Amino acid sequence: MLTDTLPKLYDEAKDFMPILGTDYIEIYCSNAKQAAHYYKSAFGFSSLAYAGLETGNQEFESYVVVQDKIRLVLTSPLRSGTEVGRHIDKHGDGVKVTALWVDDATYAYNAAMERGATSYMEPLTEEDDHGKVVRSGIYTYGEVVHIFVERKAYNGVFLPGYQEWNTRYNPESVGLKYVDHMVGNVNLGRMNHWVKFYEEVLGFAQILSFDDKDISTEYTALMSKVMSNGNGRIKFPINEPAPGLKKSQVDEYLDFYEGEGVQHIAVATDDIIKTVTDLRNRGVEFLTIPNTYYEELTDRVGQIDEDIEPLRDLGILVDRDDEGYLLQIFTRTVQARPTMFFEIIQRKGAQSFGKGNFKALFVALEKEQELRGTL
Ligand code: FE2
């Protein structure tokens, strides 16, 4: 149900936690060097920065790749017995950090801590020849953390401790522009706890809510609430499983991730047909949508700018709300465990999340689960 749209009368002066945008997303993975190559060759990212033995880091190696405003940090341990290694052993590859770009990381940390956050990292100033960066961090659901990044006095390539990563291989962008939203899966009965956390600790507001009547098929169900910060640049939907006849995708995630974590990262494009065509040609795999979906499409969403044919060929979904429409598609999971995946989204006015597609999407996900024997 649409309870509200993004705050139209947003008053920055009253926002105790102003966030400028997503700074970076860090994925702990077992082979950062190869993962970086995958995100470059398949998803169209470019090399940006590197940290590891050559930069004096004895514990882990990180590769940073970039596409427009999206920065991914891929991190692997250099030896056994590390925190990064323990995280990978338990969860497989997955998101550890969602970094939030702020003007004052010390203030942001103190504001969150006063409101009940759990500390991950006290404000820390790091410097190099290019200036200084202040970072601080708090825990959210599972083992995921939010790191506040203050970089107004820094003009280096990424962060102090990283060097520029120059390579001859930088494939063309596929047109991914920024992180639209990032979804968390939490345990049964924990959704409202985390909704309250984002409201109280970070000053977010709930903009949408879906219950098991909105998001269910014959077999599986889930519930979801969408949290947004004041200026709408950060949107975190939070899912919890709902009882169904069979095991839902959220249950499967929680089983294989061995806990709560990031389910998908939605990235925006201005031309979804071109972006998805490029991604598919580079080997990215997407969920397949039954043909019947497209037979009913025009009746459901009305006139749209795009031809139906390429949407059907690529499996792109369309939904409409009061403000316009959106096009979206979901990749298959992108690591060994059936956990995290990506969404590609193009918004044409609509600020919602594709409620009209949930059913088709869930049927597609159940088909995948069936193949894995986890439904
Ligand atoms: Fe999404």
Side-chain angles (χ1 to χ4, degrees):
M1 182 178 61
L2 194 66
T3 52
D4 196 357
T5 50
L6 290 178
K8 293 240 162 46
L9 299 168
Y10 170 61
D11 182 352
E12 197 172 354
K14 287 188 183 145
D15 185 353
F16 74 80
M17 188 64 80
I19 300 170
L20 303 167
T22 305
D23 196 281
Y24 64 88
I25 292 171
E26 182 165 18
I27 297 172
Y28 283 178
C29 56
S30 49
N31 192 333
K33 190 173 205 165
Q34 291 187 6
H37 194 275
Y38 171 73
Y39 283 108
K40 285 170 64 179
S41 61
F43 279 85
F45 284 81
S46 297
S47 302
L48 180 68
Y50 167 83
L53 291 170
E54 294 84 347
T55 64
N57 194 323
Q58 298 289 320
E59 199 177 325
F60 57 83
E61 181 171 75
S62 293
Y63 291 84
V64 188
V65 294
V66 65
Q67 187 166 180
D68 204 330
K69 293 191 171 64
I70 313 162
R71 279 191 289 238
L72 295 182
V73 182
L74 302 148
T75 297
S76 294
L78 287 167
R79 53 189 86 248
S80 65
T82 66
E83 175 51 29
V84 180
R86 183 207 56 78
H87 193 279
I88 295 165
D89 184 46
K90 181 165 175 67
H91 302 295
D93 294 1
V95 171
K96 175 63 184 177
V97 179
T98 307
L100 304 172
W101 177 29
V102 296
D103 205 47
D104 185 337
T106 307
Y107 163 80
Y109 177 82
N110 291 335
M113 291 302 289
E114 273 166 28
R115 290 166 172 84
T118 303
S119 177
Y120 172 70
M121 174 179 158
E122 287 184 11
L124 172 74
T125 303
E126 291 163 298
E127 286 181 67
D128 66 13
D129 296 345
H130 302 282
K132 65 168 189 172
V133 172
V134 186
R135 290 190 302 155
S136 59
I138 59 167
Y139 277 97
T140 176
Y141 49 79
E143 292 200 72
V144 182
V145 300
H146 291 313
I147 288 187
F148 301 112
V149 184
E150 170 189 333
R151 51 168 72 256
K152 58 180 185 271
Y154 192 69
N155 63 10
V157 66
F158 179 54
L159 291 173
Y162 285 78
Q163 67 185 33
E164 198 172 341
W165 176 23
N166 282 314
T167 62
R168 297 167 63 127
Y169 178 61
N170 283 304
E172 220 182 299
S173 153
V174 298
L176 301 178
K177 301 196 102 74
Y178 59 88
V179 175
D180 185 276
H181 61 275
M182 213 182 70
V183 180
N185 280 340
V186 302
N187 290 327
L188 184 64
R190 296 296 284 170
M191 178 178 68
N192 286 329
H193 169 87
W194 291 109
V195 163
K196 217 168 131 225
F197 166 86
Y198 280 104
E199 279 171 353
E200 288 176 0
V201 173
L202 292 174
F204 282 38
Q206 183 186 322
I207 54 168
L208 288 167
S209 145
F210 308 101
D211 62 22
D212 45 351
K213 284 171 204 69
D214 296 319
I215 319 183
S216 67
T217 66
E218 196 181 343
Y219 300 121
T220 67
L222 70 81
M223 298 198 287
S224 187
K225 287 185 174 172
V226 182
M227 306 306 293
S228 171
N229 81 319
N231 60 22
R233 292 186 196 171
I234 308 292
K235 277 169 271 175
F236 292 147
I238 300 164
N239 297 334
E240 75 169 43
L245 283 176
K246 294 189 179 181
K247 189 159 130 177
S248 79
Q249 44 149 323
V250 180
D251 290 312
E252 185 195 35
Y253 177 101
L254 294 167
D255 266 12
F256 277 92
Y257 201 69
E258 297 191 20
E260 303 177 337
V262 172
Q263 180 210 40
H264 74 266
I265 301 168
V267 284
T269 171
D270 287 339
D271 185 350
I272 197 167
I273 293 176
K274 182 181 181 306
T275 296
V276 173
T277 302
D278 283 357
L279 290 169
R280 205 159 72 157
N281 289 341
R282 295 170 187 215
V284 175
E285 299 172 310
F286 294 94
L287 297 182
T288 53
I289 302 302
N291 250 317
T292 50
Y293 175 89
Y294 295 94
E295 287 159 18
E296 298 150 8
L297 186 61
T298 312
D299 287 345
R300 191 166 60 76
V301 301
Q303 217 46 52
I304 57 171
D305 301 337
E306 294 74 14
D307 292 331
I308 304 291
E309 221 32 60
L311 300 179
R312 184 207 310 262
D313 287 348
L314 296 165
I316 294 167
L317 306 169
V318 190
D319 197 27
R320 187 179 282 282
D321 66 20
D322 301 343
E323 296 173 287
Y325 69 97
L326 62 82
L327 304 111
Q328 62 186 167
I329 190 169
F330 299 85
T331 72
R332 299 184 72 205
T333 53
V334 293
Q335 60 287 303
R337 300 192 196 186
T339 50
M340 193 183 75
F341 57 90
F342 284 84
E343 171 183 349
I344 316 298
I345 184 165
Q346 180 178 5
R347 295 188 180 279
K348 298 190 111 172
Q351 294 301 318
S352 53
F353 294 83
K355 178 180 156 182
N357 291 325
F358 288 165
K359 183 119 188 193
L361 176 63
F362 277 45
V363 171
L365 283 164
E366 283 170 11
K367 252 196 298 183
E368 297 268 303
Q369 282 180 261
E370 206 161 11
L371 291 172
R372 294 193 282 261
T374 60
L375 184 63

